[in-house]
Amino acid sequence: GVMAWPSRACVSRGVTVAGHTRAGQRHPFQANYAIRKRCAIASSPWVGSGVTLPRAISAPSPARIRRQGYSTADTLASVQPLALQRFQAWFEAGGGTLSHIAFQRLPVYETSVLAQTDIPAAAEIARIPVHMCIHSGTAYHCPHVGEALQALKKRSVIDDRVAVCLFLANELRLQDASAWEPYLSILPTTFTTPLQYSGEQWEAVRATQIGRVAAFTQKEIEYTYRNVIQTAFKTLGSIGASLRLVTAEHYTRAHMLWWSRAFEVPSSFVTDVAPDTEQDVHVEALVPVLDLFNHTNSPSVRWSFPAAAALKDHCLQICTRENPVQRGQQLWNSYGRVSNGQLLLQYGFTLADNEFDSVILNPRGFGTEGALSDHVQENANDKVKLLQTLQLDPMFTLQRSTPLAEVLLWTRIWCLASTDTEGWSTAKAFAEQPPGERDVKMVLSAANDEQSVAALGRWLQKLSAELQHEEEAGDLHDTDLRMYKEGQWQVLQTAVKNLQDYEQQG
């Protein structure tokens, strides 16, 4: 009952060099966190610990700041940089390395990564050891909650993502007592995604696609905690003592942090067991430092996984790209080819003129087009298999750059009637051809293709009109919401124009 969350994509590959860690500083965490056995899912970040977290850090902790009685008004500007200093000291004590960069809080962007000096092209700026990342193995090996999480996973009560969220929730509960506190203390406590909207903001997005997803996700979070997790806690006995102290607020914040910050990394990065190539070879993880880079479609850094002789030497490497970066400039990562809808839903921001803006076309939308409503439902399973053969999703992601022939092919297949023998025959013959030899016109020139083209045109016009009505009724003052809807409008208008040109050309 848990949604398949998107992750920051593993989109970069760069220079590969031998991995290394600092001698004697392989692990920043307390010695009593060593674990006797390793989990088959992922290797433990606690194994091999013998180094305690350094306490001789120049920046005071949040607890010390509170004890000394500083007022928020007098110290707000200085407290945040001190927290970042503590994080950097914690990161480097754990074997991480930083070069040429500094962390700073910027207006709008919050925590950001800036060039401390002029940085040449293809220069290494950071290395992140595997044991400083948080993933399912981290959760299952935690001495406080690992045994309980493994028991819940074994009984199929939770999956890996919920396990990590529960681990994070418990670490948030521990506050200063957590070994991860210097990292967790710099992460957001509030979020700007629609999952946290209220009032006018929520009304403006409630009827949209991301509004519906946000409402569903909110219900999933609440249901998972109250009906699944709390019920399961009661059956854990003494091993669930720590987890029973986790509140709904802790779990919700942990969920939001994982939702907005997890990256997909190769499973070999967090385990020394060779992955099964027939299965998914990526896992999700929180990666300190990497998650502090803000997103753009034109990134200035890339990240990769250098070769390593053993798991203890695994590091993620961040380098600049082909162009140098001047001192004082912000360094940018890319979270993938992400539309404004996904950026807003997952991260709480949008990009102006985002080239990856998209509109999801659900075949059920054809149900409003008269006689086609029955055709779409006919032989639905056969149509899905045919689309998969053609490497098309049952629900189509329409972008400004989408070739018109591709969306017309998708439309044509969904509009096939069960009695259209000729249409089915040509579509199947088309799918059987090698991808490089397929002639789209073979399917698009079917006798009743005019019907599906007209239906697509009416549907796109209807979606455009609904979007325009939402904007007029909503009186959008929120910049992110406005850019999200403007991006969808541009996608639809591009498709409408391309379709009109196609019809005029006969």
Side-chain angles (χ1 to χ4, degrees):
V2 180
M3 290 186 63
W5 303 336
S7 302
R8 301 189 186 191
C10 179
V11 296
S12 306
R13 293 292 182 271
V15 180
T16 299
V17 296
H20 72 274
T21 53
R22 289 185 178 182
Q25 292 187 334
R26 281 174 38 218
H27 205 292
F29 308 117
Q30 298 171 353
N32 62 353
Y33 271 23
I35 299 299
R36 292 184 297 274
K37 60 181 181 179
R38 64 181 303 280
C39 176
I41 296 174
S43 65
S44 172
W46 315 110
V47 172
S49 174
V51 181
T52 58
L53 178 64
R55 296 299 178 187
I57 297 176
S58 58
S61 69
R64 179 182 170 191
I65 292 172
R66 288 194 296 270
R67 286 195 297 270
Q68 291 180 354
Y70 299 136
S71 69
T72 302
D74 293 336
T75 64
L76 181 61
S78 61
V79 168
Q80 298 296 353
L82 290 177
L84 291 173
Q85 289 177 35
R86 291 183 63 248
F87 164 71
Q88 182 169 336
W90 170 86
F91 177 76
E92 292 177 334
T97 62
L98 301 172
S99 302
H100 311 295
I101 61 175
F103 307 121
Q104 190 54 266
R105 301 250 183 207
L106 300 179
V108 180
Y109 296 108
E110 294 296 330
T111 304
S112 306
V113 183
L114 304 180
Q116 200 169 26
T117 62
D118 291 341
I119 308 176
E124 179 183 306
I125 56 176
R127 283 195 177 217
I128 302 129
V130 61
H131 60 253
M132 303 201 77
C133 301
I134 297 175
H135 48 84
S136 58
T138 317
Y140 293 130
H141 286 96
C142 175
H144 301 305
V145 298
E147 186 178 359
L149 294 177
Q150 289 187 48
L152 294 176
K153 173 66 183 296
K154 187 176 181 179
R155 286 154 43 190
S156 300
V157 175
I158 61 173
D159 63 8
D160 290 345
R161 284 167 171 163
V162 175
V164 177
C165 287
L166 284 172
F167 164 79
L168 283 173
N170 187 63
E171 295 299 315
L172 292 171
R173 177 188 68 80
L174 292 173
Q175 297 183 339
D176 293 353
S178 168
W180 300 89
E181 187 273 338
Y183 171 53
L184 298 178
S185 67
I186 67 170
L187 301 184
T189 56
T190 59
F191 303 86
T192 57
T193 78
L195 272 72
Q196 302 292 311
Y197 281 2
S198 60
E200 292 183 1
Q201 268 191 318
W202 176 248
E203 286 303 313
V205 76
R206 180 171 56 85
T208 67
Q209 189 174 57
I210 62 170
R212 290 188 288 270
V213 173
F216 178 81
T217 305
Q218 288 172 331
K219 292 178 181 178
E220 280 289 305
I221 297 172
E222 182 178 350
Y223 177 86
T224 300
Y225 179 78
R226 300 196 182 282
N227 296 74
V228 178
I229 295 173
Q230 280 197 320
T231 301
F233 285 171
K234 298 175 183 177
T235 68
L236 290 174
S238 60
I239 64 173
S242 293
L243 286 180
R244 280 192 285 272
L245 298 176
V246 169
T247 66
E249 290 73 20
H250 293 138
Y251 181 76
T252 299
R253 185 186 171 205
H255 178 284
M256 293 301 300
L257 289 173
W258 189 259
W259 167 279
S260 61
R261 308 186 80 83
F263 285 85
E264 284 186 348
V265 299
S267 58
S268 57
F269 178 59
V270 295
T271 177
D272 52 7
V273 176
D276 184 346
T277 55
E278 295 181 358
Q279 298 180 357
D280 184 11
V281 294
H282 286 80
V283 297
E284 292 176 314
L286 291 183
V287 185
V289 175
L290 181 60
D291 65 355
L292 299 183
F293 288 83
N294 291 313
H295 167 77
T296 181
N297 289 337
S298 302
S300 51
V301 303
R302 67 172 82 244
W303 46 285
S304 59
F305 304 90
L311 178 65
K312 63 182 176 63
D313 296 322
H314 282 193
C315 287
L316 182 147
Q317 180 189 47
I318 307 176
C319 297
T320 53
R321 287 180 173 261
E322 295 78 10
N323 297 317
V325 180
Q326 294 181 352
R327 180 178 181 273
Q329 287 186 339
Q330 183 172 176
L331 291 104
W332 302 86
N333 187 20
S334 171
Y335 303 163
R337 299 183 175 187
V338 187
S339 69
N340 273 344
Q342 185 176 337
L343 287 175
L344 183 57
L345 180 64
Q346 192 173 353
Y347 308 113
F349 67 89
T350 56
L351 298 179
D353 195 28
N354 187 350
E355 62 182 299
F356 302 116
D357 271 327
S358 62
V359 174
I360 305 299
L361 300 183
N362 188 326
R364 292 180 180 179
F366 285 119
T368 62
E369 303 302 332
L372 286 178
S373 59
D374 294 331
H375 296 340
V376 170
Q377 300 302 322
E378 292 174 354
N379 304 96
N381 290 336
D382 292 334
K383 292 175 181 178
V384 169
K385 291 179 182 177
L386 190 57
L387 288 167
Q388 290 173 342
T389 302
L390 297 169
Q391 297 183 331
L392 294 175
D393 291 327
M395 290 198 296
F396 194 89
T397 301
L398 181 66
Q399 296 182 325
R400 278 178 282 180
S401 59
T402 301
L404 180 63
E406 195 172 296
V407 68
L408 283 175
L409 174 61
W410 178 87
T411 304
R412 180 72 184 90
I413 290 173
W414 272 117
C415 292
L416 279 172
S418 58
T419 56
D420 186 359
T421 306
E422 180 186 355
W424 277 101
S425 177
T426 55
K428 290 179 179 178
F430 176 80
E432 291 172 357
Q433 293 179 339
E437 300 177 11
R438 290 171 180 164
D439 183 4
V440 177
K441 294 181 180 179
M442 179 177 174
V443 177
L444 301 182
S445 60
N448 63 347
D449 188 56
E450 286 187 15
Q451 185 182 35
S452 57
V453 171
L456 178 62
R458 290 194 299 271
W459 190 17
L460 292 174
Q461 292 286 7
K462 180 183 178 182
L463 290 174
S464 298
E466 290 176 350
L467 190 61
Q468 189 172 16
H469 175 73
E470 288 177 4
E471 291 189 4
E472 292 173 352
D475 189 24
L476 297 180
H477 298 291
D478 187 287
T479 302
D480 288 320
L481 285 177
R482 187 168 62 250
M483 285 201 291
Y484 157 61
K485 293 193 174 185
E486 285 178 355
Q488 288 197 311
W489 170 263
Q490 292 173 6
V491 170
L492 290 171
Q493 291 308 296
T494 300
V496 168
K497 184 180 183 304
N498 291 341
L499 192 60
Q500 289 173 344
D501 292 343
Y502 172 79
E503 290 181 295
Q504 289 175 2
Q505 294 170 5

